[in-house]
Amino acid sequence: MSDAPLAHLDDQVEELLRAIADLASLEELTNAEPTLVGKRSVLSSLQKSLGSLSPEERRDAGARLQEARRRVVEALEAQRRDLEARARVAELDADRLDLGDVVLDAVRVPLGAGHPGIVAITQYALEEVFVGMGFRVEDGPEVESDWYNFEALNMPPAHPARGMWDTFYLELGEPETVVLRTHTSPTQIHLMEKAVAEESLPLHAVMPGRCYRRDTPDARHLAAFHQIEGIVVDRGITFADLAGTIDTFTRAYFGPDIDSRLRPGYFPFTEPSAEFEITCTLCRGEGCRTCSQTGWIELGGCGMIDPAVFAAVGIDAEEWSGFAFGFGIDRCAQMRYQIADMRALIENDLRFVRQFS
Ligand code: DAH
């Protein structure tokens, strides 16, 4: 063939284009440039071989070769621009990553949460259930006089029932006259006094808050814990209203598969009194360490308000009757979230705390 020197030109060009496309860096490109398009290149040696052709053939072959060179050079320049752009992006990326780290570190700072988050969450959820049932939410002081914490609740000085609560006394005033409240029940007294003063009976309220007892912490007890107290004072209130309220609450808060039961109990401020228990949610009633193998967990106490309590606050027990209840918020959280050991609530182990923040 007359243009025999260029017989494989197309393949050779394809090969060159592939080699160019494979160049992975500007350094590789600079190194390869002489063999791709320079004096030592295939194209240059083809150029030299054209001398053996006739002038006419040389013109055609020259034109083909020139076109081939144009394509190769163009591809090489395109690759150079691409590699330059990539190098620039990589450089910017490197810079940006540094900046990114700084920003991300700032974002990663944990925002924290109201603590103890889970108890607060539980308290709000309980309040919501009771508000839905027609109760309003009230507050009371954590430091109480002996009168509010005990005496007005039908426990005169030296009453044996005072021993039901291991009490922290404050060094304030006469010895043993000021206490950290051992339960939220004294807040009932404040509310009833206020209702009498304002002549605003009937009264339907819940009173959440922190309480203190000289207890040794264990799986079910903390020395500082939370209760929610409830009170209803109205006309014609019966024990059936109390039982219905407890049952409605249990199902609304824990779900329909958790049962509640009332067992006869004793509290000086209610008559009759009952202890309020629910199915242990950790073992679903089978019996486990948390419920001491009974299948039931005691949440708190309740009963019909004792006439002696009405007398202490000046409510006429002939006209009004009522019930009250009080139970542990931490205990509810424990049952709702199936926390085997309540001490997790105060240990501040971030692996625990973060689940609720
Ligand atoms: N205050 C009691 C306690 O902490 C619980 C309690 C029982 C509250 C009966 C009540 C009640 O209002 O009527 O052990």
Side-chain angles (χ1 to χ4, degrees):
M1 249 174 29
S2 55
D3 63 347
L6 300 190
H8 305 294
L9 182 61
D10 288 347
D11 289 344
Q12 285 163 320
V13 168
E14 285 311 316
E15 200 173 310
L16 285 169
L17 294 179
R18 268 200 302 278
I20 289 169
D22 283 345
L23 294 171
S25 67
L26 286 168
E27 195 186 357
E28 273 184 44
L29 186 145
T30 310
N31 291 339
E33 200 168 357
T35 53
L36 292 171
V37 292
K39 290 203 184 75
R40 284 181 279 133
S41 67
V42 180
L43 294 176
S44 294
S45 38
L46 288 174
Q47 182 76 40
K48 280 177 206 137
S49 67
L50 300 189
S52 60
L53 301 174
S54 70
E56 204 170 303
E57 285 170 337
R58 200 180 316 143
R59 201 185 56 227
D60 287 352
R64 277 188 67 201
L65 200 53
Q66 207 176 343
E67 170 59 15
R69 177 178 288 277
R70 192 191 58 73
R71 283 181 64 199
V72 172
V73 169
E74 203 167 89
L76 189 70
E77 290 316 309
Q79 183 73 357
R80 189 197 310 279
R81 283 195 300 276
D82 191 44
L83 289 172
E84 277 170 357
R86 272 196 254 167
R88 179 93 189 108
V89 168
E91 218 172 282
L92 288 174
D93 258 3
D95 282 354
R96 191 173 58 211
L97 276 179
D98 286 343
L99 274 177
D101 281 350
V102 174
V103 173
L104 282 178
D105 276 345
V107 171
R108 261 186 240 121
V109 172
L111 294 176
H115 185 74
I118 182 173
V119 175
I121 289 167
T122 306
Q123 178 183 321
Y124 300 148
L126 293 171
E127 286 176 9
E128 214 158 285
V129 170
F130 283 113
V131 167
M133 292 167 70
F135 290 80
R136 61 173 211 262
V137 181
E138 295 282 353
D139 251 343
E142 290 178 24
V143 174
E144 286 285 15
S145 66
D146 179 273
W147 194 79
Y148 282 100
N149 199 77
F150 293 120
E151 201 165 343
L153 289 163
N154 196 25
M155 284 175 278
H159 192 286
R162 290 177 172 227
M164 291 166 72
W165 298 274
D166 284 320
T167 309
F168 283 116
Y169 290 94
L170 295 187
E171 287 183 4
L172 211 64
E174 292 293 302
E176 303 201 352
T177 54
V178 182
V179 305
L180 289 179
R181 67 177 175 192
T182 57
H183 48 180
T184 41
S185 299
T187 309
Q188 290 181 25
I189 303 297
H190 288 286
L191 289 195
M192 285 191 281
E193 281 181 336
K194 192 157 167 260
V196 168
E198 294 174 352
E199 298 183 17
S200 60
L201 286 175
L203 174 62
H204 310 84
V206 289
M207 299 143 263
R210 200 193 309 266
C211 306
Y212 304 84
R213 285 184 203 169
R214 278 175 42 205
D215 272 342
T216 306
D218 64 23
R220 280 174 305 173
H221 299 90
L222 300 174
F225 59 101
H226 302 76
Q227 285 190 336
I228 185 162
E229 191 83 10
I231 188 170
V232 168
V233 179
D234 209 333
R235 294 186 175 88
I237 297 294
T238 69
F239 199 90
D241 297 311
L242 167 59
T245 301
I246 296 286
D247 204 51
T248 305
F249 155 75
T250 304
R251 280 165 214 292
Y253 184 70
F254 291 102
D257 52 335
I258 297 298
D259 282 331
S260 65
R261 70 176 185 186
L262 297 179
R263 295 199 313 160
Y266 169 74
F267 297 98
F269 30 92
T270 41
E271 180 58 37
S273 302
E275 274 164 19
F276 157 30
E277 298 184 334
I278 63 162
T279 316
C280 176
T281 61
L282 282 110
C283 61
R284 300 267 143 188
E286 295 286 308
C288 66
R289 180 173 72 93
T290 305
C291 62
S292 306
Q293 311 304 329
T294 63
W296 293 92
I297 284 280
E298 189 195 325
L299 274 194
C302 58
M304 302 305 291
I305 296 171
D306 194 290
V309 174
F310 279 146
V313 294
I315 288 179
D316 180 0
E318 295 296 316
E319 183 180 356
W320 303 97
S321 61
F323 64 78
F325 56 85
F327 56 86
I329 296 176
D330 316 75
R331 193 69 67 79
C332 282
Q334 179 177 35
M335 285 298 110
R336 176 74 178 257
Y337 300 103
Q338 301 175 4
I339 301 162
D341 194 317
M342 214 134 89
R343 285 168 290 194
L345 295 175
I346 53 167
E347 275 168 352
N348 288 333
D349 185 328
L350 286 177
R351 290 167 299 178
F352 178 81
V353 173
R354 282 197 185 118
Q355 294 178 58
F356 305 99
S357 57

